[in-house]
Amino acid sequence: MMRTRPLKVALLGCGVVGSEVARIMTTHADDLAARIGAPVELAGVAVRRPDRVRAGIDPALVTTDATALVKRGDIDVVIEVIGGIEPARTLITTAFEHGASVVSANKALLAQDGAALHAAAAEQGRDLYYEAAVAGAIPLIRPLRESLAGDKVNRVLGIVNGTTNFILDKMDSTGAGYQEALDEATALGYAEADPTADVEGFDAAAKAAILAGIAFHTRVRLDDVHREGMTEVTAADFASARGMGCTIKLLAICERAVDGASVTARVHPAMIPLSHPLANVRGAYNAVFVESDAAGQLMFYGPGAGGAPTASAVLGDLVAVCRNKLGGAHGFGESAYAALPVSSMGEVVTRYHISLDVADKPGVLAQVATVFAEHGVSIDTVRQQGKDGEASLVVVTHRASDAALQGTVEALRTLDTVRGVASIMRVEGE
Amino acid sequence: MMRTRPLKVALLGCGVVGSEVARIMTTHADDLAARIGAPVELAGVAVRRPDRVRAGIDPALVTTDATALVKRGDIDVVIEVIGGIEPARTLITTAFEHGASVVSANKALLAQDGAALHAAAAEQGRDLYYEAAVAGAIPLIRPLRESLAGDKVNRVLGIVNGTTNFILDKMDSTGAGYQEALDEATALGYAEADPTADVEGFDAAAKAAILAGIAFHTRVRLDDVHREGMTEVTAADFASARGMGCTIKLLAICERAVDGASVTARVHPAMIPLSHPLANVRGAYNAVFVESDAAGQLMFYGPGAGGAPTASAVLGDLVAVCRNKLGGAHGFGESAYAALPVSSMGEVVTRYHISLDVADKPGVLAQVATVFAEHGVSIDTVRQQGKDGEASLVVVTHRASDAALQGTVEALRTLDTVRGVASIMRVEGE
């Protein structure tokens, strides 16, 4: 089986992930060769700062000219771990044109331009693999695309951002507020100096787009994903959640409508019951729950980020792409045949947990209940607490369209007796 | 992409799993065709009892002559869901000889004859896929073999038998004894009339052999797996476990030795901390924890048995095998290049929880402690409880070889002051 001419690999980016990829390619060279059926050789490493010391990497391989590297023509596989849209996109398409397949960890690019990249790969007869783009080391894209290829996925519900899970877990376990928990995450290196991409849900939304696309065989772009960050979650929200036997997680949720005719994808904080497996996902771990017709409920759990875990996913893809190359085969390309419409958030059916500050006088509950009824939203439970002329009203609804729920909240805000809407949070996973 | 000539599938067995496979092939025909790139057609169904009514299956397809079906020569893929060694083994090799690739859910056969079957497949240039053989719907073989192909797996620790997990969960949550919990499992259809294969660990041992083989790229046969059933687990054991902040699970454990030079595989009941993700796996669910160098800790969770979940795994394999066939490619075959020696149970390093009934008089603890010291086993904690001249001593050890621990227990039995060894259980997952 083993051939002696090595497959040549170009590595674009040598940061936290890239340096781990290079390290493992060296230390596990014999195993990789045995599993692929040919040795793999690191043929070039493109970096921005060539003067940085890179342990274990032959300085002769290092270049700042990534374009020249992917154009060399003798490269079998390009590993792209630069991130961001450009120059990654152009480098990947150039790699395809010059004979290479690509393994990428680039969620932002895949979420934005996945269809075009898949088309470019198909046109040139190359592979495009990106297990590392979603939930780090957790095998998720391959199971969704291959293991469940004979099943019908109805729902993907996941914690796909480790930074926000660390913050929310900290708030839950210590009673800390958002800022305090974020500061700790930053100090420990779990959050970046500018945490926007994580805490505003952009990172999770990119992953949701990729997962929804694969799960539903439908193109879902980043713009199709409804996104709400978690910066406004308060210690009081966690107290409310606990009162309901819930905790709060930032969830990526991809759903097929009940009638099967459309899909939705969204990212927002939500209450989930403590009995749900996702409620127990601690710290910076990720986990994704998948519900399908035949398999039922599956969960995939593991480290969602970090150099070595992400490198593990990259190298699994490298083995697959190299094996395909040797066997003259191709892996799965884009599968978007179902082409289901992606509905807006208003059509999502969900439940709301709403805290209102209200006047403590007779008739308020009746007024509030009337607003819910007028919008066709059925109330599950109401809890009323009052003192000194002030009162709070906590309403948990039954399932209704998000549009109806939003309309209800807007109408509540106009009531004289409602002094403010203290918090609104969706309830999921029941 | 789509070709119109259908790929022909022969189904061997039409029981709980087979009937679900046939049903999904019919109801999801369009999706399967889109994902494969060609339609798939059920070309024959071999059964033992042809007179049984089979909803949705054309009676003209049903035959009792499985051999003739696999010899037809026009079959692209044979799905084997008969189970057992023969006639399944002969039918599979005959299928390979007559042009078909095989998807199987047969754990017993794969654990016993996996190497020979893989060799037969390779010789004829066919695929042999068997995701459904381990942990039902949970994608596990594909992630281990493909997603982690660039990583080094050190440990696989799993609940891979739903029947025993149901029984143990019931004992844990209700305080029921083994027999009572088994009776309930039988009444609810979770346990078979003869539960031996489940409760004595044979089923889990077969799965452990398959998982260890794939995880360590080494042939591991059923005979290599140390096996202890869970029929002797008592309500008292659960009380002891709770005292330690643990519960009890029947675990399949595949480990690489610390020096990396050998592997072990075993199935036995063990205490695991309540904080371990496997401790929260309820009812008949399965879950498998995988530890690797780069990815760290991953967990895969889902329904471990049942018609539809197992069919989901079978159909995922069917799609892969059909795609390979159309693309002229082959999937992963056996990977046993590492050929590590499989060590016996004595070399496994683990911890023991030992309950002793002892005489309630001075010096007993000193005597007992001396025996542990003589065998080189270090004690973690001792708890002593006594009344009316009788006492119990609960010892939890530090990590030591199983041989040293067994030797310690044998020596304890010979002490005059030790009236009996009430229970011995290993402690895992810490």
Side-chain angles (χ1 to χ4, degrees):
Chain A
M1 270 301 270
M2 181 77 78
R3 70 170 202 180
T4 48
R5 188 172 76 72
L7 288 156
K8 293 193 178 174
V9 176
L11 180 60
L12 310 184
C14 200
V16 176
V17 176
S19 59
E20 276 297 308
V21 168
R23 185 187 65 76
I24 298 171
M25 281 186 66
T26 307
T27 57
H28 289 31
D30 292 346
D31 283 313
L32 289 170
R35 296 172 193 182
I36 291 168
V40 280
E41 174 191 304
L42 194 58
V45 182
V47 301
R48 270 189 306 183
R49 285 164 293 191
D51 46 330
R52 252 179 154 184
V53 177
R54 291 164 215 278
I57 295 179
D58 180 355
L61 297 179
V62 176
T63 173
T64 54
D65 191 346
T67 305
L69 180 57
V70 300
K71 281 186 173 175
R72 261 172 53 171
D74 66 337
I75 301 296
D76 296 288
V77 185
V78 168
I79 295 176
E80 184 271 304
V81 287
I82 306 174
I85 304 302
E86 285 294 354
R89 178 171 51 193
T90 302
L91 289 168
I92 289 173
T93 52
T94 307
F96 291 148
E97 288 159 12
H98 290 80
S101 285
V102 172
V103 174
S104 171
N106 194 329
K107 54 196 163 273
L109 179 57
L110 267 304
Q112 183 181 305
D113 290 319
L117 291 173
H118 272 298
E123 193 183 329
Q124 303 286 343
R126 320 288 177 221
D127 277 338
L128 172 62
Y129 276 55
Y130 45 90
E131 182 66 75
V134 181
I138 309 174
L140 202 54
I141 290 180
R142 188 174 275 104
L144 272 177
R145 187 146 60 179
E146 303 185 28
S147 306
L148 291 168
D151 206 336
K152 184 179 176 188
V153 175
N154 294 314
R155 197 152 191 252
V156 178
L157 178 74
I159 296 166
V160 294
N161 180 276
T163 304
T164 48
N165 200 58
F166 179 91
I167 294 169
L168 291 170
D169 186 21
K170 187 58 64 180
M171 291 174 73
D172 189 25
S173 59
T174 66
Y178 166 72
Q179 190 58 49
E180 190 186 336
L182 170 62
D183 290 345
E184 184 171 346
T186 310
L188 292 171
Y190 287 115
E192 294 181 49
D194 176 359
T196 308
D198 293 318
V199 301
E200 295 294 354
F202 290 100
D203 174 88
K207 293 164 178 170
I210 296 171
L211 291 175
I214 294 171
F216 304 133
H217 299 268
T218 287
R219 279 187 194 158
V220 180
R221 286 170 52 101
L222 186 54
D223 295 344
D224 297 323
V225 181
H226 174 84
R227 180 190 52 76
E228 297 172 27
M230 44 69 78
T231 59
E232 285 168 27
V233 175
T234 63
D237 290 329
F238 272 102
S240 294
R242 267 192 293 279
M244 287 183 64
C246 286
T247 186
I248 298 169
K249 297 291 187 186
L250 183 71
L251 298 179
I253 306 175
C254 313
E255 281 177 320
R256 191 188 292 275
V258 175
D259 67 2
S262 64
V263 299
T264 53
R266 53 192 164 116
V267 168
H268 55 71
M271 295 184 181
I272 57 166
L274 292 171
S275 58
H276 195 284
L278 290 181
N280 294 306
V281 176
R282 300 283 170 214
Y285 271 79
N286 282 194
V288 177
F289 216 71
V290 177
E291 295 176 22
S292 71
D293 264 7
Q297 299 188 317
L298 302 171
M299 189 173 77
F300 304 83
Y301 166 96
T310 308
S312 171
V314 166
L315 287 161
D317 280 353
L318 177 66
V319 170
V321 169
C322 287
R323 287 177 56 97
N324 287 346
K325 187 120 191 174
L326 291 179
H330 290 290
F332 278 71
E334 185 188 32
S335 176
Y337 72 90
L340 295 168
V342 183
S343 300
S344 66
M345 189 63 199
E347 292 176 55
V348 166
V349 174
T350 180
R351 295 175 63 195
Y352 271 29
H353 175 284
I354 306 167
S355 294
L356 303 171
D357 295 326
V358 296
D360 189 12
K361 56 184 184 185
V364 173
L365 178 54
Q367 246 187 338
V368 166
T370 302
V371 170
F372 279 88
E374 283 168 356
H375 288 80
V377 174
S378 171
I379 292 176
D380 180 10
T381 60
V382 179
R383 215 169 53 237
Q384 206 168 182
Q385 286 179 314
K387 58 170 190 202
D388 307 332
E390 290 289 326
S392 73
L393 209 57
V394 175
V395 180
V396 182
T397 73
H398 283 297
R399 286 163 63 80
S401 77
D402 205 78
L405 289 159
Q406 288 280 8
T408 306
V409 171
E410 289 315 307
L412 288 172
R413 286 187 206 274
T414 67
L415 291 182
D416 285 347
T417 47
V418 171
R419 306 222 166 121
V421 179
S423 87
I424 308 165
M425 197 164 298
R426 297 184 186 88
V427 183
E428 301 287 340
E430 291 175 305
Chain B
M1 271 296 272
M2 181 79 75
R3 71 170 201 177
T4 48
R5 189 172 75 73
L7 289 154
K8 293 192 177 175
V9 176
L11 180 60
L12 309 184
C14 199
V16 176
V17 176
S19 59
E20 277 297 310
V21 169
R23 184 185 67 75
I24 298 171
M25 281 185 66
T26 306
T27 57
H28 288 32
D30 292 346
D31 283 313
L32 289 171
R35 296 175 193 181
I36 290 167
V40 281
E41 173 190 305
L42 194 57
V45 182
V47 301
R48 271 188 306 181
R49 286 165 293 191
D51 47 329
R52 254 180 151 181
V53 177
R54 290 164 215 281
I57 296 179
D58 180 353
L61 297 179
V62 176
T63 173
T64 54
D65 192 346
T67 304
L69 179 57
V70 300
K71 280 186 174 175
R72 263 173 50 173
D74 66 336
I75 302 296
D76 296 289
V77 185
V78 168
I79 295 176
E80 183 272 304
V81 287
I82 307 174
I85 305 301
E86 286 294 355
R89 177 169 53 194
T90 302
L91 289 168
I92 289 173
T93 51
T94 306
F96 291 148
E97 288 159 12
H98 290 79
S101 285
V102 173
V103 174
S104 171
N106 194 328
K107 55 196 162 273
L109 179 58
L110 267 304
Q112 183 182 305
D113 289 320
L117 290 174
H118 272 296
E123 193 183 326
Q124 303 286 343
R126 319 287 178 225
D127 276 339
L128 172 62
Y129 276 56
Y130 45 91
E131 181 67 75
V134 181
I138 309 174
L140 202 55
I141 290 180
R142 187 174 276 100
L144 272 177
R145 187 146 59 179
E146 303 185 28
S147 307
L148 292 168
D151 206 335
K152 184 179 176 188
V153 176
N154 295 313
R155 198 152 190 252
V156 178
L157 177 75
I159 296 167
V160 294
N161 181 276
T163 304
T164 48
N165 200 58
F166 180 90
I167 294 169
L168 291 169
D169 186 21
K170 188 56 66 176
M171 291 175 73
D172 189 26
S173 58
T174 67
Y178 166 71
Q179 190 60 49
E180 190 186 336
L182 171 61
D183 290 346
E184 184 170 347
T186 310
L188 293 171
Y190 286 116
E192 294 181 48
D194 176 1
T196 308
D198 294 318
V199 301
E200 294 295 353
F202 290 100
D203 174 86
K207 293 162 177 170
I210 295 170
L211 290 175
I214 293 170
F216 304 133
H217 298 268
T218 287
R219 279 187 193 158
V220 179
R221 287 169 52 101
L222 186 53
D223 295 345
D224 296 323
V225 182
H226 174 85
R227 179 190 52 75
E228 297 172 30
M230 45 69 77
T231 60
E232 285 168 26
V233 176
T234 63
D237 290 330
F238 273 101
S240 294
R242 269 192 292 278
M244 285 181 64
C246 287
T247 186
I248 298 170
K249 296 291 187 188
L250 183 72
L251 298 178
I253 306 174
C254 312
E255 282 177 320
R256 191 188 292 276
V258 175
D259 67 1
S262 64
V263 298
T264 53
R266 53 191 164 117
V267 168
H268 55 72
M271 295 184 182
I272 57 166
L274 292 172
S275 58
H276 194 285
L278 290 180
N280 294 308
V281 177
R282 299 284 171 215
Y285 271 79
N286 281 194
V288 177
F289 216 72
V290 177
E291 295 177 21
S292 71
D293 264 8
Q297 299 188 317
L298 302 171
M299 190 172 76
F300 304 83
Y301 166 96
T310 308
S312 171
V314 165
L315 288 161
D317 280 353
L318 176 67
V319 171
V321 169
C322 287
R323 287 177 57 98
N324 287 345
K325 188 121 190 172
L326 290 179
H330 290 290
F332 278 70
E334 185 187 32
S335 176
Y337 72 88
L340 295 167
V342 184
S343 300
S344 65
M345 189 64 199
E347 292 175 54
V348 167
V349 173
T350 180
R351 295 175 63 195
Y352 271 28
H353 176 285
I354 305 167
S355 293
L356 303 171
D357 294 326
V358 296
D360 189 11
K361 57 185 183 185
V364 173
L365 178 54
Q367 247 188 337
V368 165
T370 302
V371 169
F372 278 88
E374 283 169 357
H375 288 81
V377 175
S378 170
I379 291 176
D380 180 11
T381 60
V382 179
R383 214 169 54 237
Q384 206 167 184
Q385 286 178 312
K387 60 171 186 196
D388 307 331
E390 291 288 327
S392 74
L393 210 58
V394 175
V395 180
V396 182
T397 73
H398 282 298
R399 286 164 63 81
S401 77
D402 206 78
L405 289 159
Q406 288 280 6
T408 306
V409 172
E410 290 314 307
L412 289 172
R413 286 188 206 275
T414 66
L415 291 182
D416 286 348
T417 47
V418 172
R419 306 219 167 122
V421 179
S423 86
I424 308 166
M425 197 163 297
R426 297 184 187 89
V427 184
E428 301 286 342
E430 291 175 305

